[in-house]
Amino acid sequence: MGEAERGDSAPRLRIPFWCSNGHETQPSFASDAQIPETWDCPRCGFPAGKDPDNPPDPPRTEPYKTHLAYVRERRSDADGEAILAEALAKLRGEV
């Protein structure tokens, strides 16, 4: 089935986007479509913007934290000592 059977295609625009790694991508948009400010780079996955001299910063990823690291964020050393003393007292039958 060729283009003649489908009818005319919508007018298109190719808009260039650049990521922080210097990759350029040119997705095609309908001429009446709203053009987004950023576009995901198909090569590296970083966000790409329309300004080649000032591309968006790559997303900052947080390092993996263990359960113990999250507990240490919520509790002080003094809290930990108190909880440990209470648990040891229960085990010894002092409570």
Side-chain angles (χ1 to χ4, degrees), residues 30-53:
S31 62
D32 58 348
Q34 182 177 356
I35 309 300
E37 290 298 315
T38 61
W39 190 261
D40 289 340
C41 177
R43 290 180 64 190
C44 65
F46 286 171
K50 297 179 207 170
D51 184 4
D53 298 326

Side-chain angles (χ1 to χ4, degrees), residues 22-95:
H23 302 140
E24 179 186 4
T25 184
Q26 293 188 6
S28 179
F29 298 96
S31 62
D32 58 348
Q34 182 177 356
I35 309 300
E37 290 298 315
T38 61
W39 190 261
D40 289 340
C41 177
R43 290 180 64 190
C44 65
F46 286 171
K50 297 179 207 170
D51 184 4
D53 298 326
N54 191 18
D57 293 328
R60 184 169 178 261
T61 56
E62 293 291 324
Y64 174 77
K65 290 184 184 177
T66 63
H67 175 70
L68 183 57
Y70 283 110
V71 170
R72 285 182 176 163
E73 285 180 359
R74 294 191 312 265
R75 306 271 188 195
S76 69
D77 287 341
D79 290 340
E81 292 292 329
I83 292 170
L84 178 62
E86 182 182 334
L88 289 173
K90 281 183 183 178
L91 286 174
R92 293 179 183 138
E94 298 172 4
V95 176

